[in-house]
Amino acid sequence: MYFKKSMRNTAIPYLFIIPSAILIAAIDLYPIISGIIDSFLNINLFINRPIKFIGFENFINLFKDRLFGIAFYKSIIWTITILAGEMIIGFFIAWLLNRDIKGRKFFRLMVLIPWVIPNAIAGIIWKWIYAEQYGLLNYSLSKLGIISNYKSWLGSSNIAFWAILTVALWKAIPFVVLVILAAMQSISKDQYEAAEVDGANEIQKFFHITLPSIKNITIIVAILTSIWNFNQFEIIQVTTRGGPGTATLTMPIFSYELFLQSFQVSYASSAATIMLIIMIVPMYIYIKNVMAEK
Amino acid sequence: MRYASIKRKKIIGNVITYALLIIICIGFIIPFLWMISTSFKQPDEVFSPTPKWLPREFSFKNYVGIWKDTFFAVYFKNSIIVSIITMIIAIIIATLSGYGISRFRFKGKLLFSIILIVVQIFPGMLMIIPLFTIMNKLHLINTYAALVIAYATFAVPFCTWMLKGYFDTIPVSMEEAALIDGCNRLQVLYKIIIPLALPGIVAVAMFAFVLSWQEYLFALTLTRSEGMRTLTLGIAMMQGEHGRVNWGQIMAGSTIACIPGMVIFLWLEKYLIQGFTMGGVKE
Amino acid sequence: MRKKCISIAAIILALTMLFSLSLIGCKATSSETTAAIETTQAAETTAAAETTQAAKETKAGVTEVEFFHTFWVPEMLKVIEDSIKAFEAKNPDIKIKETRVSWTDAPSQMMTSIMGGKSPDIVVCNPPMVASLRGINALADMTDMIPEELKNSFTKSAVEIATNQDGRWDGLPEEGCTWQLFYRKDLFKAAGLDPEKPPTTWEELVEYGKALTKDTNNDGNIDQWGYGWPVQAENANDYWVNYMMQAGSKVTTYDSEKKTWVSQLKGNEALTGTKFMVDLVRTDKISPSGLVDMDWEAVTNGFVAGNFAMMYNGAWVVGSIHQKGPDIEGKWGTALMVAGPAGKASRGYPNAFNILNASTKKEAAFKYLNFLYTEKTASGLTFVEELCKAGGALLFTNNYIEYAKKNYEPLLLPFVDGAQYSVAPPMDPKWETFKALFVGKTVQGMLMGEIDVQSGLDSLDANLTELHAMQ
């Protein structure tokens, strides 16, 4: 909905845009670019030395770095598992909520709760639940007879990874439910009724009507949440800080360690730049789909 | 006969649906309830080998204690100040540019729109290293200004894109009439658009507030004194290695930290959904 | 070019007009906007005012000294507050501003402030932090400021931390702690061990540990472990270094000819110490691998709950157990940490007060520090001694150790006696980086059985050597 041609004037739109454009250039684009430039330098705050351009040395070192390999691998497993989990569970809950039921609002509200808790706080709550001695989880499971001995949930690398992943999943599902449910509700009832006349069952209806109608929004939500999950820092930082061992060492935690715990600014920047490169393709697909949605 | 069996099937289906929903909801909400329950417990109850769901008494000791004995009040004040300033700056700038993108066609509009979308989903970890270095050079580390600037990096694009979507839904005819009557465009914006879009603007402002309120990474990096920490960061730091960890108080603080997000997200959630489908979103 | 300039000027002008217009604009809504802008301005001014105030000197003639510390025990905080009040009363021209931070966050928070050009004046550092800051020449030389008498009062191990390789003083040893053995007398009795004879050597520790490791409810799982120590986060590093030192390793040494630090992790002693630690979990099985997620408090909780019969933990834990476990009062004891092949060498060191090089108020800062060490409180102790007393900690001076022997509760005595056997971590400037990036991961990995001892040590040695080579 644009003004008619006569109402337009070439300079006016820019006047509206400029404050925001200048601000975004200054606080978003400039830092991003300077971060990329930093990754080709040799800044290390714990070493007094002249700053100079060292080409791809940081990147070459990263690819030789065992920890980087681990962080990369963990991040990929982390992101893909959460994506699969949030999609399957999210779709299932959305589908349940989309049925003809009473109290939908109430159930929906309950499911949305994890979404509104700040990430860092969610981490703290779960850390307390996972606590070995006074934690709720050990107590409940042993009361129910599922475990006979208190487990150290964050104390072994296998369990810790999945335990923290569960927290992230718990935080991620509600958003998927919210969006998918809204999309499902916008599908017209007629299509379903027509299918019912043809004798289609629930599963057929889901795959032949629901899924195709919300394909675009599904792709958007999948990519968006994956980008978020890939960058998940808060939950891991407040619970395990990447440990025990390297159990939860994902790329954001790894970059943070390089940056704020060992102050290798340039090396950390190059790790962050690689994260950016990994996200280019998903971002491209995301933008394409968002533009198409309009 | 056939009708009866369909009906029975439907009843069974409904029972299963409700049962599943109840189980799922319990699973989703337990951690939240546990936080609230713990926030009312005294230390001896918190460290009890047989944890109880209901605290012995609903005393507000932890809430009073965290307010009086720790820096919580300072964190709270900081979060309020930083979030409100961010919100106001973001909303003023975003109203202008949101209106601009919504109403005009101009060269570079597509590029600008793409930048807006990309920047919103841009990960904090990539931003924070250069942002820190820049703030460092400007001697802004550990100031409100640093936090406001850092939060504006996501709040401005987010608000712009959300408001653009909202302005799109407002018909253009009234503005054209006003322009013919001799109002300038800014007057049109303030006289016609803003009153019409006020609910949307308020909603977007609220989201900007909550996003800043919940932020952790930027606050962790850009502040260093108790006096500058924000709420989420301050609470997270209370469970530091060598502190005497008072889980009752931490949970009381966490509960307070959850409230704004809870109220605003759940109350205005439909605006988020609208904005989301058009690319206006930030975790 | 000129055209461009003009258009830019036009844009700027237009922008200014736009904003002023938005203030005047249409009357109908302008009041609201003005109000909003006023609020922003008001808020910004307050914010700005507060930050400037926090940052530097306030009113004319008053020097503000920022004191960045990690104390967290309420009683100790009270002493700090009292000392500041007393000091400010005597020195109205100096104001001391406290900044509190947890040990975990201290290094990064300190570095951000130093880098941000807003460095505090006085900082509290543990030895690795002293080493790192020394490595980038961030600590002020205090040699000429500290009176000889004060210098001579400290124990040898304290002096080692407070002086650099050239023997210059860049810190004042303050409150410190030693780490010793805690054991449950009741569980000793139940296992047929003499509750008055805790283990004294590595071999005894393992032997006792095996007798104390039990499946008390016969469900096939061990629920009482012989021995435990914290391994979460930086603890992994701190205790590992100590086990190596118990075996006689120097861990890392300074080569004064080449002026570099040299890793000693390839040495046999390092291997013996590391192997002993890992075997406790993997071979002797007297400790659970879940230790990797336990900080001092989690291990203490386990001790109180009877899951650990013995633990290696810090002096402050004595008070913590009194608080957490009234039920086990009288049923537990403390003793010197067992001796390794190289003799007694338990964890123990003072932290230090340091003045930063970047500080512009070094004299005022030192005045306050000196006040802490000389001004006596009503009880006859100096403030810094009060501080140590409040935390059940030690001041590493012979005088104070004598005082503590007479006045501390019996359970704390091993911690006082232990001061003479205590060893501080290596003062290698690269250690902090090494620790943050590699040690925790590898040590935890070894304890969980994911990395074997030899290859773990080899990779750590390579990492440290590589860090040393970085110029």
Side-chain angles (χ1 to χ4, degrees):
Chain A
M1 205 178 302
Y2 300 109
F3 285 130
K4 283 187 206 132
K5 217 165 187 150
S6 59
M7 295 292 169
R8 270 188 263 136
N9 178 318
T10 43
I12 295 254
Y14 294 104
L15 293 182
F16 281 100
I17 304 302
I18 271 171
S20 146
I22 290 177
L23 196 72
I24 287 172
I27 64 176
D28 285 297
L29 301 184
Y30 172 64
I32 293 167
I33 291 164
S34 87
I36 294 171
I37 292 172
D38 277 354
S39 64
F40 292 98
L41 306 175
N42 67 341
I43 309 169
N44 180 330
L45 302 186
F46 269 152
I47 301 177
N48 292 327
R49 64 182 171 196
I51 292 166
K52 64 172 190 205
F53 179 77
I54 55 166
F56 284 92
E57 204 180 306
N58 286 324
F59 293 91
I60 294 167
N61 287 338
L62 262 186
F63 287 114
K64 287 193 222 149
D65 193 329
R66 190 181 64 94
L67 293 175
F68 175 76
I70 292 173
F72 183 82
Y73 171 75
K74 296 266 176 196
S75 267
I76 300 295
I77 302 283
W78 170 272
T79 311
I80 290 176
T81 317
I82 298 181
L83 176 65
E86 69 179 12
M87 281 298 155
I88 294 169
I89 303 173
F91 258 90
F92 182 63
I93 297 176
W95 178 74
L96 282 178
L97 287 172
N98 196 34
R99 289 171 62 99
D100 189 17
I101 51 163
K102 285 204 177 71
R104 178 187 295 147
K105 269 206 167 145
F106 171 78
F107 286 123
R108 197 158 143 277
L109 186 75
M110 292 295 110
V111 171
L112 287 190
I113 295 269
W115 179 54
V116 300
I117 298 176
N119 273 330
I121 303 290
I124 296 171
I125 300 174
W126 278 89
K127 194 177 177 187
W128 173 229
I129 289 175
Y130 282 138
E132 188 172 352
Q133 275 310 318
Y134 305 107
L136 179 66
L137 188 64
N138 266 337
Y139 176 72
S140 316
L141 290 183
S142 72
K143 211 67 207 269
L144 293 170
I146 297 171
I147 54 167
S148 60
N149 251 68
Y150 279 11
K151 283 220 170 346
S152 170
W153 295 101
L154 304 180
S156 85
S157 49
N158 254 325
I159 305 179
F161 180 78
W162 298 108
I164 302 301
L165 190 139
T166 307
V167 182
L169 187 61
W170 173 78
K171 273 283 294 170
I173 291 171
F175 186 73
V176 178
V177 173
L178 190 70
V179 176
I180 299 297
L181 179 63
M184 280 179 175
Q185 284 177 334
S186 66
I187 304 172
S188 83
K189 289 264 184 306
D190 305 349
Q191 287 190 54
Y192 289 109
E193 278 161 17
E196 265 165 43
V197 171
D198 293 344
N201 64 25
E202 288 287 331
I203 294 167
Q204 285 167 328
K205 277 194 280 181
F206 180 78
F207 281 101
H208 288 112
I209 301 170
T210 316
L211 214 50
S213 328
I214 59 175
K215 194 181 123 215
N216 197 18
I217 198 86
T218 306
I219 293 173
I220 294 179
V221 81
I223 293 179
L224 190 65
T225 52
S226 294
I227 290 176
W228 288 342
N229 295 330
F230 180 71
N231 291 307
Q232 180 58 261
F233 170 78
E234 278 109 328
I235 291 176
I236 305 178
Q237 179 69 9
V238 298
T239 49
T240 58
R241 290 170 181 259
T246 51
T248 50
L249 185 80
T250 57
M251 295 208 24
I253 298 282
F254 179 64
S255 324
Y256 180 80
E257 263 182 10
L258 292 179
F259 169 48
L260 262 188
Q261 278 172 331
S262 64
F263 302 98
Q264 309 180 58
V265 174
S266 285
Y267 198 48
S269 297
S270 56
T273 305
I274 289 183
M275 286 173 68
L276 174 66
I277 294 169
I278 294 173
M279 289 191 311
I280 285 178
V281 173
M283 272 188 182
Y284 173 74
I285 303 173
Y286 170 72
I287 290 166
K288 238 178 90 180
N289 279 280
V290 166
M291 292 293 180
E293 185 71 10
K294 277 199 304 183
Chain B
M1 187 61 205
R2 189 166 165 256
Y3 189 73
S5 94
I6 288 176
K7 205 173 171 191
R8 193 186 311 142
K9 231 174 150 184
K10 205 171 177 189
I11 291 174
I12 293 172
N14 273 345
V15 168
I16 294 174
T17 308
Y18 284 116
L20 282 171
L21 278 173
I22 289 169
I23 292 170
I24 289 167
C25 286
I26 290 175
F28 269 77
I29 203 177
I30 273 184
F32 179 71
L33 294 179
W34 188 241
M35 166 183 80
I36 295 176
S37 159
T38 308
S39 76
F40 286 105
K41 289 179 178 170
Q42 296 313 305
D44 65 304
E45 276 180 287
V46 169
F47 293 112
S48 148
T50 53
K52 297 252 168 12
W53 268 105
L54 286 179
R56 200 166 42 217
E57 50 165 337
F58 279 91
S59 87
F60 282 86
K61 262 190 203 152
N62 288 324
Y63 289 86
V64 176
I66 197 171
W67 205 269
K68 274 170 57 185
D69 306 340
T70 72
F71 275 82
F72 189 79
V74 178
Y75 304 153
F76 190 85
K77 183 192 86 182
N78 292 340
S79 273
I80 294 260
I81 291 176
V82 172
S83 307
I84 286 184
I85 299 178
T86 309
M87 175 185 90
I88 292 171
I89 292 176
I91 211 73
I92 290 175
I93 294 175
T95 305
L96 291 173
S97 56
Y99 180 74
I101 315 182
S102 168
R103 286 297 188 263
F104 301 101
R105 260 188 273 241
F106 55 91
K107 239 189 206 157
K109 177 171 164 171
L110 183 69
L111 179 71
F112 188 61
S113 305
I114 290 175
I115 289 176
L116 282 179
I117 298 173
V118 171
V119 159
Q120 279 176 73
I121 54 174
F122 219 76
M125 190 47 76
L126 304 189
M127 297 289 304
I128 193 61
I129 303 175
L131 263 182
F132 172 81
T133 320
I134 293 164
M135 302 286 185
N136 207 354
K137 276 182 203 147
L138 299 174
H139 296 286
L140 285 179
I141 300 285
N142 206 40
T143 61
Y144 288 135
L147 288 179
V148 169
I149 293 171
Y151 292 171
T153 60
F154 57 77
V156 170
F158 169 80
C159 292
T160 304
W161 201 246
M162 291 285 280
L163 281 176
K164 179 238 172 225
Y166 201 78
F167 291 143
D168 281 348
T169 64
I170 297 172
V172 80
S173 51
M174 282 171 74
E175 292 158 63
E176 284 173 335
L179 281 173
I180 290 164
D181 290 348
C183 264
N184 69 31
R185 272 167 221 275
L186 217 66
Q187 287 171 324
V188 166
L189 180 61
Y190 283 103
K191 213 173 203 171
I192 295 164
I193 290 291
I194 288 182
L196 273 176
L198 202 61
I201 293 175
V202 169
V204 173
M206 292 283 162
F207 289 128
F209 178 87
V210 173
L211 291 178
S212 312
W213 179 272
Q214 300 192 334
E215 210 284 331
Y216 172 82
L217 173 63
F218 290 171
L220 175 68
T221 318
L222 298 174
T223 68
R224 67 173 176 77
S225 68
E226 300 264 15
M228 272 295 148
R229 271 175 217 154
T230 58
L231 204 57
T232 38
L233 175 67
I235 295 169
M237 282 200 170
M238 279 185 195
Q239 46 126 33
E241 296 302 315
H242 276 259
R244 204 171 279 176
V245 185
N246 187 334
W247 282 105
Q249 282 192 359
I250 290 180
M251 289 299 149
S254 300
T255 307
I256 295 174
C258 285
I259 290 172
M262 195 142 266
V263 172
I264 290 166
F265 273 36
L266 296 180
W267 174 36
L268 299 168
E269 157 241 308
K270 73 167 188 190
Y271 288 99
L272 262 194
I273 293 291
Q274 269 172 15
F276 164 75
T277 49
M278 294 174 302
V281 72
K282 166 85 188 162
E283 190 181 18
Chain C
M1 190 62 210
R2 214 171 130 213
K3 222 172 174 184
K4 221 174 188 175
C5 283
I6 292 170
S7 60
I8 288 171
I11 287 167
I12 293 170
L13 199 76
L15 209 72
T16 339
M17 276 165 60
L18 202 98
F19 270 102
S20 42
L21 253 177
S22 75
L23 290 173
I24 312 157
C26 290
K27 296 253 154 57
T29 48
S30 67
S31 62
E32 223 174 297
T33 332
T34 335
I37 286 169
E38 266 166 11
T39 342
T40 338
Q41 280 171 345
E44 269 174 340
T45 353
T46 3
E50 263 167 75
T51 34
T52 25
Q53 198 179 25
K56 286 268 145 71
E57 281 140 79
T58 43
K59 275 160 216 126
V62 177
T63 313
E64 187 173 280
V65 172
E66 189 182 351
F67 180 23
F68 182 98
H69 68 72
T70 45
F71 302 114
W72 53 273
V73 178
E75 293 81 3
M76 297 172 86
L77 290 173
K78 171 119 197 337
V79 175
I80 294 286
E81 282 160 15
D82 289 348
S83 77
I84 291 175
K85 255 180 239 156
F87 178 76
E88 286 177 348
K90 282 202 172 172
N91 300 276
D93 55 331
I94 303 175
K95 201 175 166 312
I96 307 289
K97 188 177 149 275
E98 277 184 83
T99 297
R100 298 173 184 177
V101 67
S102 78
W103 276 117
T104 312
D105 299 308
S108 66
Q109 297 263 306
M110 202 181 296
M111 280 308 286
T112 47
S113 45
I114 292 173
M115 299 319 302
K118 282 197 172 176
S119 79
D121 303 289
I122 305 172
V123 294
V124 168
C125 287
N126 60 16
M129 281 152 64
V130 170
S132 306
L133 294 180
R134 209 175 259 163
I136 52 169
N137 197 24
L139 300 180
D141 188 337
M142 294 156 74
T143 314
D144 302 329
M145 292 195 237
I146 307 170
E148 286 305 311
E149 198 189 340
L150 185 54
K151 283 182 191 164
N152 295 333
S153 70
F154 296 110
T155 62
K156 196 171 152 277
S157 64
V159 176
E160 275 169 19
I161 282 168
T163 54
N164 65 13
Q165 292 121 10
D166 306 325
R168 305 290 293 177
W169 289 68
D170 51 16
L172 270 176
E174 48 102 19
E175 167 270 343
C177 182
T178 70
W179 281 252
Q180 308 295 346
L181 191 70
F182 292 75
Y183 66 102
R184 288 279 298 257
K185 293 184 176 179
D186 52 343
L187 302 181
F188 266 56
K189 239 182 245 167
L193 300 168
D194 183 348
E196 300 311 321
K197 281 202 178 133
T200 55
T201 61
W202 276 9
E203 292 73 24
E204 281 178 19
L205 181 78
V206 173
E207 186 193 322
Y208 282 48
K210 282 183 177 161
L212 289 160
T213 303
K214 287 180 189 171
D215 171 11
T216 53
N217 59 1
N218 290 317
D219 66 347
N221 289 306
I222 291 163
D223 43 35
Q224 176 186 311
W225 295 91
Y227 173 71
W229 78 95
V231 193
Q232 194 209 42
E234 70 265 26
N235 293 299
N237 168 79
D238 301 348
Y239 287 84
W240 167 63
V241 166
N242 184 247
Y243 288 119
M244 289 193 292
M245 288 181 156
Q246 289 179 15
S249 172
K250 292 264 179 283
V251 187
T252 163
T253 50
Y254 186 68
D255 182 336
S256 50
E257 269 176 32
K258 288 184 189 151
K259 301 225 179 264
T260 53
W261 285 81
V262 184
S263 160
Q264 301 294 336
L265 296 177
K266 271 244 157 66
N268 269 332
E269 297 87 353
L271 179 65
T272 314
T274 312
K275 195 161 172 343
F276 170 72
M277 175 189 78
V278 174
D279 282 350
L280 292 173
V281 174
R282 310 302 322 169
T283 317
D284 306 323
K285 296 193 191 301
I286 63 167
S287 308
S289 69
L291 289 177
V292 294
D293 180 47
M294 294 196 181
D295 55 7
W296 72 267
E297 190 173 38
V299 176
T300 306
N301 290 344
F303 181 78
V304 171
N307 298 6
F308 292 116
M310 297 184 279
M311 66 171 174
Y312 189 7
N313 221 329
W316 72 90
V317 174
V318 171
S320 181
I321 299 176
H322 286 317
Q323 225 184 26
K324 284 171 190 271
D327 306 345
I328 61 162
E329 205 59 55
K331 295 180 188 161
W332 57 282
T334 53
L336 284 179
M337 179 59 193
V338 298
K344 293 194 184 83
S346 52
R347 292 186 64 193
Y349 50 80
N351 300 306
F353 288 130
N354 304 91
I355 296 178
L356 291 178
N357 241 346
S359 165
T360 52
K361 299 151 222 167
K362 296 194 182 74
E363 264 171 42
F366 186 76
K367 205 168 181 184
Y368 172 64
L369 289 184
N370 198 38
F371 180 84
L372 289 179
Y373 283 84
T374 50
E375 186 74 10
K376 292 215 157 75
T377 61
S379 64
L381 293 174
T382 61
F383 272 111
V384 76
E385 286 170 337
E386 280 289 344
L387 184 71
C388 297
K389 191 179 157 204
L394 276 183
L395 186 65
F396 282 63
T397 63
N398 295 325
N399 266 345
Y400 191 79
I401 288 172
E402 284 311 309
Y403 169 85
K405 276 182 186 164
K406 280 183 219 131
N407 292 282
Y408 277 13
E409 68 162 304
L411 283 167
L412 275 173
L413 289 184
F415 295 87
V416 180
D417 290 335
Q420 58 181 309
Y421 308 113
S422 69
V423 288
M427 299 301 282
D428 183 336
K430 292 290 161 59
W431 198 269
E432 190 71 24
T433 306
F434 178 55
K435 169 177 125 181
L437 291 182
F438 306 110
V439 177
K441 299 180 182 84
T442 312
V443 167
Q444 291 174 350
M446 291 194 278
L447 290 173
M448 291 188 291
E450 292 171 348
I451 305 170
D452 77 87
V453 173
Q454 189 62 59
S455 58
L457 266 181
D458 286 348
S459 75
L460 284 172
D461 178 72
N463 293 330
L464 184 58
T465 307
E466 201 178 312
L467 284 174
H468 286 150
M470 266 165 79
Q471 292 300 326

